[in-house]
Amino acid sequence: MENRTTLNIKEFLDRDEQKDLLRLLTAGSVDDGKSTLIGRLLFDSKKLYEDQLQALERDSKRMGNAGEHIDYALLLDGLKAEREQGITIDVAYRYFSTNNRKFIIADTPGHEQYTRNMITGGSTANLAIILVDARTGVITQTRRHTYLVSLLGIRHVVLAVNKMDLVDFSQARFDEIVAEYQKFVAPLGIPDVRCIPLSALDGDNVVERSARTPWYDGPSLLEFLETVHIASDHNFEDFRFPVQYVLRPNLDFRGFSGKVASGIVREGDTVMALPSGKTSRVKRIVTYDGDLKEAFPPESVTLTLEDEIDVSRGEMLVHSDNLPTVGRHFEAMLVWMDEEAMDPSKQFFLKQTTNLTRAHVSDVRYRVDVNTMEQAEASILRLNEIGRVRFTTAKPLFFDAYTRNKACGSFILIDPITNNTSAVGMILGPVDEKDMTGEELPRLDLPKLGIGPEHYDAIDAARRELERQGIAIEVIKQ
Amino acid sequence: MSDYKLSHLKELEAESIHIIREVAAEFENPVMLYSIGKDSSVMVRLAEKAFYPGKVPFPLMHIDSKWKFREMIEFRDRYAREFGWNLIVESNMEAFNAGVGPFTHGSKVHTDLMKTQALLAALDKYKFDAAFGGARRDEEKSRAKERIYSFRDRFHQWDPKNQRPELWDIYNGRVHKGESIRVFPLSNWTELDIWQYIRLENIPIVPLYYAKERPVIEMDGNLIMADDERLPAKYRDQIEMRMVRFRTLGCWPLTGAVESSADTIEKIVEEMMTTTKSERTTRVIDFDQEGSMEQKKREGYF
């Protein structure tokens, strides 16, 4: 497919360095031929080295199950236990490259009990490939995968209608599946949905367009992956800079290091620090490779400011005319990831951007059946369940709706005893304070307690330490 | 808006810097494991970038198995001096003094005592709660499923069935006393990415990566370089000079050379693009037993 020998290696490298990166998720069941499809993408893009193939032939003889064909699936199954069970049970990452792009595939399983893994694999994906078997068409699992993909805010979806060879490359069958899928997918609001008929086993429409589907005039899967436009998937409007690390190598330098979560920051911009509300101007955008005039997501940079203002990790720099929501109450779609079911009386740790706070579930509004997308009443969530949940945090967070800004609308919930990541959430929006009675911050009224100003410094120090541990209290002074 | 686009290398760099800073901010006592190999060289450069203009706020640690190529040790000491690294070197001296080595004890025992056990002892000695490693997911099958933050229990063990879900760029760094996290900031880099980055950034690497005439012996299908006087006498008359280079670096009796004339990064990449052997095949330890890397990982090896 690619003729690299005509390129001189230096030219090749100079050009190759400029390629962009596409992260994709594949979802489908063991029977849909997903591993075969990935194996073929890797194989046909010539990234499989010869000795891996030799190992494959050796493995195939012992436990392969694809008859005379090379079992591409064996290439992908890494862990011993999984190989013995004959199924993939976790997220595995694969890498391949073409002349135009680099690709990272998150390969995730299709079984119901592993919703968790699909959510994990899909969180960073630009694009999802959802496989269906042309013989069975859209099934419950297809709907489930598509729902999860829409929940994660993945903007590009490929419905790969596989095993077309087993339905004689029938256009009628393909059209039927596409019609059914489109009816289902339209309300989910995924901006870019593409349906491709293919045979992973024989290679039809995987890399090259197939002569066996003359009625299909769209791109092959790989052509589509190479050309789909992903550069505008980031939010470039709302500048958010969660401070990750305060850099103070000497008395003259005080920098705030972090990754631009969204928006664009330029030298000279007026920025506001949250939660203090203090403003200053960006003096420099510092990197090891020299100062920048502007920075955008997902760059990692260090900002210095004109004025000495106190900003710590977990706080955020934003443009003062474009603020996130600042609050302690919000609603989110929550995916429960822990064997141990949700305990609403528990104080969890909640990590959102670089901010760590204590948080608890105020109430579960409803649970979503991932197969039918119907809402059901629920008071708690269990492993692999998804629901709409209200949260209260022990200190204010700076957030946006996940659909607008993934980086500032996502969070994880950590069990304080086991330290497991118990759940992950996508913020829908704030909840009105007056709907949250009984959830006010603890208040320390110093005059009322008879505590005089001579103790205020000590109390402020204690308050800051509590805040560092994710707990805010309101202190009333004279 | 399409002007605001990063190349894959810049995107990988930004991701790695973010991971490195996150660990420095959230852990009390992190360490960066430095193997002297090309991936380590890239990882150290990324750490320098993460804290520029400050210094890297954690030490580098090299687990010296006492059987590394001499050129590796020279390289390590030179750059530690030149760049002012805070470098810790640790070895299993007890096993070394007892004469453990690959020729006498075989690769399995040697690797376990001089690498795995030495590493675990060093992690315990300094009570590190996070250790960066330069492993990449594209290196080997069992690594394809590794998280970026890989949780280890009090015994440094990895349980592939019990890994924490890892989403977006939000890492869960919470551990109890005695537990730790191995962190792999290069998880998403491929071998080609590493070479391109070394070329782009002019990162120094050990000269053994470049082809040169070197004294080698053919042992069980591997080209082993005669690096010091510990080579058993029976091999001495089999030494021949061949034009070779190394695709990975480790203990010299366990690391096979490949015949090559690639003496520049460009030529190495060209060779790689047309090569017939993947990277780790020249490491003898991976062939010890079926699924051997996974086994070693469970035991605490990286």
Side-chain angles (χ1 to χ4, degrees), chain A residues 162-217:
Chain A
N162 192 22
K163 305 198 183 180
M164 286 299 292
D165 51 317
L166 300 181
V167 297
D168 298 325
F169 294 93
S170 159
Q171 178 177 14
R173 181 63 186 138
F174 177 72
D175 289 346
E176 191 184 2
I177 294 170
V178 170
E180 195 188 342
Y181 188 69
Q182 273 167 347
K183 201 165 72 198
F184 157 78
V185 80
L188 294 174
I190 299 169
D192 178 20
V193 178
R194 173 78 56 153
C195 305
I196 302 178
L198 50 86
S199 165
L201 203 58
D202 297 342
D204 298 84
N205 290 329
V206 176
V207 173
E208 312 275 356
R209 294 188 204 190
S210 171
R212 298 200 280 184
T213 53
W215 43 267
Y216 170 74
D217 58 6

Short mmCIF file of all heavy atoms in Angstrom, two decimals, chain A residues 162-217:
data_model
loop_
_atom_site.label_atom_id
_atom_site.label_comp_id
_atom_site.label_asym_id
_atom_site.label_seq_id
_atom_site.Cartn_x
_atom_site.Cartn_y
_atom_site.Cartn_z
N ASN A 162 -19.81 -5.95 9.51
CA ASN A 162 -18.80 -6.96 9.20
C ASN A 162 -19.45 -8.26 8.69
O ASN A 162 -20.65 -8.44 8.81
CB ASN A 162 -17.96 -7.22 10.46
CG ASN A 162 -16.72 -8.04 10.16
OD1 ASN A 162 -16.24 -8.07 9.02
ND2 ASN A 162 -16.19 -8.71 11.16
N LYS A 163 -18.60 -9.11 8.17
CA LYS A 163 -19.01 -10.43 7.65
C LYS A 163 -19.97 -10.30 6.47
O LYS A 163 -20.88 -11.11 6.31
CB LYS A 163 -19.64 -11.27 8.77
CG LYS A 163 -18.71 -11.41 9.98
CD LYS A 163 -19.09 -12.55 10.88
CE LYS A 163 -18.14 -12.57 12.09
NZ LYS A 163 -18.42 -13.64 13.02
N MET A 164 -19.73 -9.28 5.65
CA MET A 164 -20.56 -9.09 4.46
C MET A 164 -20.43 -10.30 3.52
O MET A 164 -21.33 -10.59 2.74
CB MET A 164 -20.18 -7.80 3.72
CG MET A 164 -20.64 -6.51 4.39
SD MET A 164 -22.44 -6.36 4.56
CE MET A 164 -22.97 -6.19 2.85
N ASP A 165 -19.30 -10.99 3.60
CA ASP A 165 -19.10 -12.18 2.76
C ASP A 165 -20.14 -13.25 3.09
O ASP A 165 -20.50 -14.05 2.24
CB ASP A 165 -17.67 -12.73 2.93
CG ASP A 165 -17.29 -12.91 4.40
OD1 ASP A 165 -17.60 -12.01 5.22
OD2 ASP A 165 -16.69 -13.95 4.74
N LEU A 166 -20.64 -13.25 4.30
CA LEU A 166 -21.60 -14.28 4.70
C LEU A 166 -23.03 -13.93 4.30
O LEU A 166 -23.94 -14.74 4.47
CB LEU A 166 -21.50 -14.55 6.20
CG LEU A 166 -20.13 -15.03 6.68
CD1 LEU A 166 -20.14 -15.30 8.18
CD2 LEU A 166 -19.70 -16.30 5.93
N VAL A 167 -23.25 -12.72 3.81
CA VAL A 167 -24.58 -12.37 3.27
C VAL A 167 -24.46 -12.01 1.79
O VAL A 167 -25.23 -11.20 1.26
CB VAL A 167 -25.25 -11.22 4.07
CG1 VAL A 167 -25.51 -11.63 5.51
CG2 VAL A 167 -24.38 -9.95 4.05
N ASP A 168 -23.47 -12.61 1.14
CA ASP A 168 -23.25 -12.43 -0.31
C ASP A 168 -23.11 -10.96 -0.72
O ASP A 168 -23.55 -10.58 -1.80
CB ASP A 168 -24.39 -13.08 -1.12
CG ASP A 168 -24.44 -14.58 -0.89
OD1 ASP A 168 -23.35 -15.17 -0.74
OD2 ASP A 168 -25.55 -15.14 -0.84
N PHE A 169 -22.53 -10.16 0.16
CA PHE A 169 -22.33 -8.73 -0.12
C PHE A 169 -23.63 -8.07 -0.57
O PHE A 169 -23.65 -7.29 -1.52
CB PHE A 169 -21.19 -8.52 -1.13
CG PHE A 169 -19.86 -8.93 -0.57
CD1 PHE A 169 -19.37 -10.22 -0.76
CD2 PHE A 169 -19.11 -8.04 0.18
CE1 PHE A 169 -18.15 -10.60 -0.22
CE2 PHE A 169 -17.90 -8.42 0.72
CZ PHE A 169 -17.41 -9.71 0.53
N SER A 170 -24.69 -8.41 0.08
CA SER A 170 -26.03 -7.91 -0.30
C SER A 170 -26.22 -6.45 0.09
O SER A 170 -26.13 -6.09 1.27
CB SER A 170 -27.09 -8.78 0.39
OG SER A 170 -28.32 -8.09 0.46
N GLN A 171 -26.49 -5.64 -0.90
CA GLN A 171 -26.75 -4.23 -0.64
C GLN A 171 -28.02 -4.05 0.19
O GLN A 171 -28.10 -3.23 1.10
CB GLN A 171 -26.88 -3.44 -1.96
CG GLN A 171 -27.20 -1.98 -1.71
CD GLN A 171 -27.28 -1.15 -2.99
OE1 GLN A 171 -27.34 -1.71 -4.10
NE2 GLN A 171 -27.26 0.15 -2.85
N ALA A 172 -29.04 -4.88 -0.15
CA ALA A 172 -30.32 -4.77 0.56
C ALA A 172 -30.12 -5.01 2.05
O ALA A 172 -30.67 -4.29 2.89
CB ALA A 172 -31.31 -5.77 -0.02
N ARG A 173 -29.31 -6.02 2.37
CA ARG A 173 -29.07 -6.33 3.78
C ARG A 173 -28.35 -5.16 4.47
O ARG A 173 -28.69 -4.77 5.58
CB ARG A 173 -28.24 -7.63 3.88
CG ARG A 173 -27.94 -8.06 5.30
CD ARG A 173 -29.22 -8.40 6.07
NE ARG A 173 -28.95 -8.68 7.48
CZ ARG A 173 -29.69 -8.24 8.48
NH1 ARG A 173 -30.76 -7.50 8.25
NH2 ARG A 173 -29.39 -8.54 9.72
N PHE A 174 -27.34 -4.64 3.79
CA PHE A 174 -26.58 -3.51 4.34
C PHE A 174 -27.51 -2.32 4.58
O PHE A 174 -27.52 -1.72 5.66
CB PHE A 174 -25.44 -3.13 3.40
CG PHE A 174 -24.64 -1.93 3.85
CD1 PHE A 174 -23.77 -2.02 4.94
CD2 PHE A 174 -24.74 -0.70 3.20
CE1 PHE A 174 -23.03 -0.92 5.36
CE2 PHE A 174 -24.01 0.40 3.61
CZ PHE A 174 -23.15 0.29 4.69
N ASP A 175 -28.32 -1.98 3.57
CA ASP A 175 -29.22 -0.83 3.69
C ASP A 175 -30.21 -1.00 4.84
O ASP A 175 -30.52 -0.05 5.56
CB ASP A 175 -30.00 -0.61 2.38
CG ASP A 175 -29.08 -0.10 1.26
OD1 ASP A 175 -27.95 0.34 1.59
OD2 ASP A 175 -29.48 -0.14 0.09
N GLU A 176 -30.66 -2.22 5.00
CA GLU A 176 -31.60 -2.53 6.06
C GLU A 176 -30.98 -2.24 7.44
O GLU A 176 -31.58 -1.61 8.32
CB GLU A 176 -31.96 -4.01 5.93
CG GLU A 176 -33.11 -4.49 6.78
CD GLU A 176 -33.31 -6.02 6.62
OE1 GLU A 176 -32.52 -6.66 5.89
OE2 GLU A 176 -34.22 -6.55 7.24
N ILE A 177 -29.74 -2.71 7.61
CA ILE A 177 -29.04 -2.50 8.88
C ILE A 177 -28.79 -1.01 9.13
O ILE A 177 -29.02 -0.50 10.23
CB ILE A 177 -27.71 -3.30 8.90
CG1 ILE A 177 -28.01 -4.80 8.89
CG2 ILE A 177 -26.86 -2.92 10.10
CD1 ILE A 177 -26.79 -5.67 8.66
N VAL A 178 -28.36 -0.33 8.08
CA VAL A 178 -28.07 1.09 8.20
C VAL A 178 -29.33 1.87 8.59
O VAL A 178 -29.31 2.72 9.47
CB VAL A 178 -27.47 1.65 6.89
CG1 VAL A 178 -27.40 3.18 6.91
CG2 VAL A 178 -26.07 1.07 6.66
N ALA A 179 -30.45 1.53 7.94
CA ALA A 179 -31.70 2.24 8.23
C ALA A 179 -32.10 2.03 9.69
O ALA A 179 -32.49 2.98 10.39
CB ALA A 179 -32.80 1.74 7.30
N GLU A 180 -31.97 0.80 10.15
CA GLU A 180 -32.35 0.51 11.53
C GLU A 180 -31.44 1.26 12.50
O GLU A 180 -31.88 1.83 13.49
CB GLU A 180 -32.28 -0.99 11.78
CG GLU A 180 -32.99 -1.38 13.07
CD GLU A 180 -32.77 -2.84 13.45
OE1 GLU A 180 -32.37 -3.63 12.57
OE2 GLU A 180 -33.00 -3.16 14.63
N TYR A 181 -30.16 1.28 12.17
CA TYR A 181 -29.19 1.94 13.06
C TYR A 181 -29.43 3.44 13.09
O TYR A 181 -29.39 4.06 14.15
CB TYR A 181 -27.76 1.64 12.60
CG TYR A 181 -26.72 2.13 13.57
CD1 TYR A 181 -26.59 1.52 14.83
CD2 TYR A 181 -25.87 3.19 13.27
CE1 TYR A 181 -25.65 1.96 15.75
CE2 TYR A 181 -24.92 3.64 14.18
CZ TYR A 181 -24.81 3.02 15.41
OH TYR A 181 -23.88 3.46 16.32
N GLN A 182 -29.70 4.02 11.93
CA GLN A 182 -29.86 5.47 11.90
C GLN A 182 -31.09 5.93 12.67
O GLN A 182 -31.07 6.98 13.31
CB GLN A 182 -29.86 5.98 10.46
CG GLN A 182 -28.41 6.23 10.04
CD GLN A 182 -28.22 6.44 8.57
OE1 GLN A 182 -29.12 6.16 7.78
NE2 GLN A 182 -27.04 6.92 8.19
N LYS A 183 -32.11 5.12 12.62
CA LYS A 183 -33.33 5.44 13.37
C LYS A 183 -32.98 5.51 14.87
O LYS A 183 -33.44 6.38 15.60
CB LYS A 183 -34.37 4.34 13.11
CG LYS A 183 -35.80 4.79 13.39
CD LYS A 183 -36.80 3.81 12.78
CE LYS A 183 -36.82 2.50 13.54
NZ LYS A 183 -37.42 1.39 12.82
N PHE A 184 -32.16 4.58 15.27
CA PHE A 184 -31.81 4.48 16.68
C PHE A 184 -30.81 5.57 17.11
O PHE A 184 -30.90 6.14 18.19
CB PHE A 184 -31.23 3.08 16.92
CG PHE A 184 -30.35 2.98 18.11
CD1 PHE A 184 -30.90 2.92 19.39
CD2 PHE A 184 -28.97 2.96 17.97
CE1 PHE A 184 -30.09 2.84 20.49
CE2 PHE A 184 -28.15 2.88 19.08
CZ PHE A 184 -28.71 2.81 20.34
N VAL A 185 -29.87 5.89 16.22
CA VAL A 185 -28.76 6.76 16.62
C VAL A 185 -29.13 8.25 16.55
O VAL A 185 -28.57 9.06 17.29
CB VAL A 185 -27.49 6.45 15.77
CG1 VAL A 185 -27.54 7.12 14.40
CG2 VAL A 185 -26.22 6.85 16.51
N ALA A 186 -30.10 8.60 15.71
CA ALA A 186 -30.41 10.02 15.50
C ALA A 186 -30.66 10.80 16.79
O ALA A 186 -30.08 11.88 16.98
CB ALA A 186 -31.59 10.16 14.54
N PRO A 187 -31.50 10.29 17.72
CA PRO A 187 -31.77 11.08 18.92
C PRO A 187 -30.56 11.27 19.84
O PRO A 187 -30.59 12.12 20.73
CB PRO A 187 -32.85 10.27 19.65
CG PRO A 187 -33.23 9.15 18.77
CD PRO A 187 -32.21 9.02 17.70
N LEU A 188 -29.50 10.48 19.63
CA LEU A 188 -28.35 10.57 20.53
C LEU A 188 -27.46 11.77 20.21
O LEU A 188 -26.59 12.14 21.00
CB LEU A 188 -27.52 9.28 20.47
CG LEU A 188 -28.23 8.02 21.00
CD1 LEU A 188 -27.37 6.80 20.75
CD2 LEU A 188 -28.54 8.17 22.48
N GLY A 189 -27.66 12.36 19.04
CA GLY A 189 -26.94 13.59 18.71
C GLY A 189 -25.45 13.42 18.46
O GLY A 189 -24.67 14.33 18.71
N ILE A 190 -25.03 12.26 17.96
CA ILE A 190 -23.62 12.09 17.59
C ILE A 190 -23.42 12.81 16.25
O ILE A 190 -24.11 12.50 15.28
CB ILE A 190 -23.26 10.60 17.46
CG1 ILE A 190 -23.47 9.92 18.82
CG2 ILE A 190 -21.83 10.42 16.98
CD1 ILE A 190 -23.40 8.40 18.77
N PRO A 191 -22.50 13.78 16.16
CA PRO A 191 -22.43 14.61 14.96
C PRO A 191 -22.01 13.89 13.68
O PRO A 191 -22.37 14.30 12.59
CB PRO A 191 -21.44 15.72 15.31
CG PRO A 191 -20.84 15.37 16.61
CD PRO A 191 -21.59 14.24 17.22
N ASP A 192 -21.21 12.84 13.79
CA ASP A 192 -20.65 12.23 12.58
C ASP A 192 -20.78 10.71 12.67
O ASP A 192 -20.06 10.07 13.44
CB ASP A 192 -19.17 12.66 12.46
CG ASP A 192 -18.46 12.06 11.26
OD1 ASP A 192 -19.14 11.61 10.31
OD2 ASP A 192 -17.21 12.03 11.28
N VAL A 193 -21.71 10.14 11.89
CA VAL A 193 -21.91 8.69 11.88
C VAL A 193 -21.71 8.17 10.47
O VAL A 193 -22.29 8.69 9.52
CB VAL A 193 -23.32 8.30 12.38
CG1 VAL A 193 -23.52 6.79 12.32
CG2 VAL A 193 -23.56 8.82 13.79
N ARG A 194 -20.86 7.15 10.32
CA ARG A 194 -20.53 6.62 9.00
C ARG A 194 -20.74 5.11 9.03
O ARG A 194 -20.32 4.45 9.98
CB ARG A 194 -19.05 6.96 8.73
CG ARG A 194 -18.44 6.37 7.50
CD ARG A 194 -18.85 7.11 6.27
NE ARG A 194 -18.53 8.54 6.36
CZ ARG A 194 -18.30 9.30 5.30
NH1 ARG A 194 -18.34 8.80 4.09
NH2 ARG A 194 -18.02 10.59 5.47
N CYS A 195 -21.40 4.56 8.02
CA CYS A 195 -21.61 3.10 7.96
C CYS A 195 -20.81 2.51 6.81
O CYS A 195 -20.88 3.00 5.69
CB CYS A 195 -23.09 2.79 7.78
SG CYS A 195 -24.14 3.55 9.05
N ILE A 196 -20.05 1.46 7.09
CA ILE A 196 -19.18 0.86 6.08
C ILE A 196 -19.40 -0.66 6.04
O ILE A 196 -19.30 -1.33 7.06
CB ILE A 196 -17.68 1.17 6.37
CG1 ILE A 196 -17.46 2.69 6.43
CG2 ILE A 196 -16.77 0.53 5.32
CD1 ILE A 196 -16.04 3.11 6.76
N PRO A 197 -19.69 -1.21 4.84
CA PRO A 197 -19.82 -2.67 4.71
C PRO A 197 -18.44 -3.29 4.55
O PRO A 197 -17.64 -2.80 3.75
CB PRO A 197 -20.63 -2.83 3.41
CG PRO A 197 -20.26 -1.63 2.59
CD PRO A 197 -19.92 -0.52 3.55
N LEU A 198 -18.13 -4.33 5.33
CA LEU A 198 -16.80 -4.91 5.15
C LEU A 198 -16.72 -6.38 5.54
O LEU A 198 -17.66 -6.94 6.11
CB LEU A 198 -15.75 -4.09 5.92
CG LEU A 198 -15.97 -3.72 7.39
CD1 LEU A 198 -15.49 -4.83 8.29
CD2 LEU A 198 -15.21 -2.45 7.70
N SER A 199 -15.61 -6.96 5.18
CA SER A 199 -15.29 -8.30 5.66
C SER A 199 -13.88 -8.26 6.22
O SER A 199 -12.91 -8.11 5.48
CB SER A 199 -15.37 -9.32 4.51
OG SER A 199 -14.72 -10.52 4.94
N ALA A 200 -13.80 -8.35 7.53
CA ALA A 200 -12.48 -8.26 8.17
C ALA A 200 -11.63 -9.48 7.80
O ALA A 200 -10.42 -9.37 7.61
CB ALA A 200 -12.64 -8.16 9.68
N LEU A 201 -12.29 -10.62 7.69
CA LEU A 201 -11.56 -11.85 7.42
C LEU A 201 -10.91 -11.81 6.03
O LEU A 201 -9.77 -12.19 5.86
CB LEU A 201 -12.54 -13.04 7.51
CG LEU A 201 -11.93 -14.39 7.80
CD1 LEU A 201 -11.14 -14.39 9.10
CD2 LEU A 201 -13.03 -15.45 7.85
N ASP A 202 -11.67 -11.34 5.03
CA ASP A 202 -11.15 -11.30 3.67
C ASP A 202 -10.51 -9.96 3.31
O ASP A 202 -9.86 -9.83 2.28
CB ASP A 202 -12.28 -11.59 2.67
CG ASP A 202 -12.84 -12.99 2.84
OD1 ASP A 202 -12.15 -13.81 3.47
OD2 ASP A 202 -13.97 -13.25 2.38
N GLY A 203 -10.75 -8.95 4.13
CA GLY A 203 -10.12 -7.66 3.88
C GLY A 203 -10.94 -6.69 3.05
O GLY A 203 -10.46 -5.59 2.74
N ASP A 204 -12.18 -7.03 2.70
CA ASP A 204 -12.98 -6.13 1.87
C ASP A 204 -13.27 -4.81 2.58
O ASP A 204 -13.78 -4.81 3.70
CB ASP A 204 -14.33 -6.78 1.50
CG ASP A 204 -14.14 -8.04 0.68
OD1 ASP A 204 -13.90 -9.11 1.32
OD2 ASP A 204 -14.19 -7.96 -0.54
N ASN A 205 -12.98 -3.70 1.90
CA ASN A 205 -13.23 -2.34 2.42
C ASN A 205 -12.54 -2.04 3.75
O ASN A 205 -12.95 -1.14 4.47
CB ASN A 205 -14.74 -2.06 2.56
CG ASN A 205 -15.43 -1.94 1.21
OD1 ASN A 205 -14.82 -1.50 0.24
ND2 ASN A 205 -16.69 -2.34 1.15
N VAL A 206 -11.54 -2.82 4.10
CA VAL A 206 -10.79 -2.50 5.31
C VAL A 206 -9.72 -1.48 4.95
O VAL A 206 -9.70 -0.37 5.48
CB VAL A 206 -10.17 -3.75 5.96
CG1 VAL A 206 -9.33 -3.36 7.17
CG2 VAL A 206 -11.26 -4.73 6.37
N VAL A 207 -8.84 -1.86 4.03
CA VAL A 207 -7.81 -0.94 3.57
C VAL A 207 -8.14 -0.43 2.17
O VAL A 207 -8.18 0.76 1.91
CB VAL A 207 -6.43 -1.61 3.60
CG1 VAL A 207 -5.38 -0.70 2.96
CG2 VAL A 207 -6.03 -1.93 5.04
N GLU A 208 -8.42 -1.39 1.29
CA GLU A 208 -8.77 -1.05 -0.09
C GLU A 208 -10.28 -1.15 -0.25
O GLU A 208 -10.92 -1.99 0.38
CB GLU A 208 -8.12 -2.06 -1.06
CG GLU A 208 -6.66 -2.34 -0.81
CD GLU A 208 -5.75 -1.33 -1.47
OE1 GLU A 208 -6.27 -0.46 -2.19
OE2 GLU A 208 -4.53 -1.43 -1.28
N ARG A 209 -10.83 -0.34 -1.15
CA ARG A 209 -12.24 -0.51 -1.48
C ARG A 209 -12.41 -1.83 -2.21
O ARG A 209 -11.58 -2.21 -3.03
CB ARG A 209 -12.72 0.63 -2.37
CG ARG A 209 -12.69 1.94 -1.61
CD ARG A 209 -13.34 3.05 -2.41
NE ARG A 209 -12.79 4.32 -1.95
CZ ARG A 209 -13.27 5.50 -2.30
NH1 ARG A 209 -14.30 5.57 -3.14
NH2 ARG A 209 -12.73 6.60 -1.83
N SER A 210 -13.50 -2.51 -1.91
CA SER A 210 -13.69 -3.86 -2.43
C SER A 210 -14.46 -3.86 -3.75
O SER A 210 -15.43 -3.13 -3.91
CB SER A 210 -14.44 -4.70 -1.40
OG SER A 210 -14.81 -5.93 -1.98
N ALA A 211 -14.04 -4.75 -4.66
CA ALA A 211 -14.77 -4.92 -5.91
C ALA A 211 -16.06 -5.69 -5.67
O ALA A 211 -16.94 -5.74 -6.51
CB ALA A 211 -13.90 -5.67 -6.92
N ARG A 212 -16.16 -6.30 -4.49
CA ARG A 212 -17.35 -7.10 -4.21
C ARG A 212 -18.52 -6.27 -3.67
O ARG A 212 -19.60 -6.78 -3.43
CB ARG A 212 -16.99 -8.22 -3.24
CG ARG A 212 -15.93 -9.17 -3.84
CD ARG A 212 -15.92 -10.50 -3.16
NE ARG A 212 -15.19 -10.47 -1.89
CZ ARG A 212 -14.98 -11.57 -1.15
NH1 ARG A 212 -15.48 -12.73 -1.52
NH2 ARG A 212 -14.29 -11.48 -0.03
N THR A 213 -18.27 -4.97 -3.44
CA THR A 213 -19.37 -4.07 -3.04
C THR A 213 -19.44 -2.89 -4.02
O THR A 213 -19.26 -1.74 -3.61
CB THR A 213 -19.17 -3.51 -1.61
OG1 THR A 213 -17.86 -2.93 -1.54
CG2 THR A 213 -19.32 -4.57 -0.55
N PRO A 214 -19.70 -3.17 -5.30
CA PRO A 214 -19.69 -2.09 -6.30
C PRO A 214 -20.75 -1.04 -5.98
O PRO A 214 -20.62 0.11 -6.41
CB PRO A 214 -20.01 -2.82 -7.61
CG PRO A 214 -20.63 -4.12 -7.23
CD PRO A 214 -20.05 -4.47 -5.90
N TRP A 215 -21.79 -1.40 -5.24
CA TRP A 215 -22.87 -0.48 -4.91
C TRP A 215 -22.49 0.49 -3.79
O TRP A 215 -23.22 1.42 -3.49
CB TRP A 215 -24.10 -1.28 -4.49
CG TRP A 215 -23.77 -2.45 -3.58
CD1 TRP A 215 -23.53 -3.73 -3.97
CD2 TRP A 215 -23.61 -2.41 -2.17
NE1 TRP A 215 -23.23 -4.51 -2.89
CE2 TRP A 215 -23.27 -3.73 -1.75
CE3 TRP A 215 -23.72 -1.42 -1.19
CZ2 TRP A 215 -23.04 -4.07 -0.43
CZ3 TRP A 215 -23.48 -1.76 0.14
CH2 TRP A 215 -23.15 -3.07 0.51
N TYR A 216 -21.35 0.27 -3.15
CA TYR A 216 -20.94 1.15 -2.04
C TYR A 216 -19.93 2.16 -2.58
O TYR A 216 -18.88 1.79 -3.09
CB TYR A 216 -20.33 0.31 -0.92
CG TYR A 216 -19.65 1.13 0.17
CD1 TYR A 216 -20.42 1.85 1.10
CD2 TYR A 216 -18.26 1.18 0.27
CE1 TYR A 216 -19.81 2.60 2.08
CE2 TYR A 216 -17.65 1.94 1.26
CZ TYR A 216 -18.42 2.65 2.16
OH TYR A 216 -17.82 3.40 3.14
N ASP A 217 -20.24 3.46 -2.47
CA ASP A 217 -19.32 4.44 -3.05
C ASP A 217 -18.57 5.25 -1.99
O ASP A 217 -17.95 6.26 -2.29
CB ASP A 217 -20.05 5.37 -4.04
CG ASP A 217 -21.22 6.09 -3.37
OD1 ASP A 217 -21.36 5.96 -2.13
OD2 ASP A 217 -21.97 6.79 -4.08
#
